[in-house]
Amino acid sequence: VFAAAAGKRTALKFGTIDTDAEPALAAKLDIRAQPTIVVLKDGNVIYKQVGAMSAAKFDALLDRFAP
């Protein structure tokens, strides 16, 4: 779902974090479980959700930030 959305949504930047390799970044973003979706704008967290979601819900979420 994530990779497919990244391929279609070129106006957005997608990334993943290896929380074992980057514990300081995970702590900064308050990531305590996987999967966690974090949306940043100008370096600030503007949305965060813990847990998996369907492709349709993920697309709807992305529509909120880049219609």
Side-chain angles (χ1 to χ4, degrees), residues 33-57:
Q34 295 177 15
T36 298
I37 297 169
V38 179
V39 178
L40 302 167
K41 184 173 184 176
D42 299 324
N44 298 307
V45 175
I46 60 169
Y47 178 87
K48 185 163 102 173
Q49 178 176 328
V50 177
M53 66 176 70
S54 69
K57 284 188 177 185

Side-chain angles (χ1 to χ4, degrees), residues 15-37:
T16 60
I17 299 170
D18 180 343
T19 56
D20 291 328
E22 298 289 341
L25 181 56
K28 179 180 177 183
L29 295 173
D30 195 31
I31 296 173
R32 299 179 187 183
Q34 295 177 15
T36 298
I37 297 169

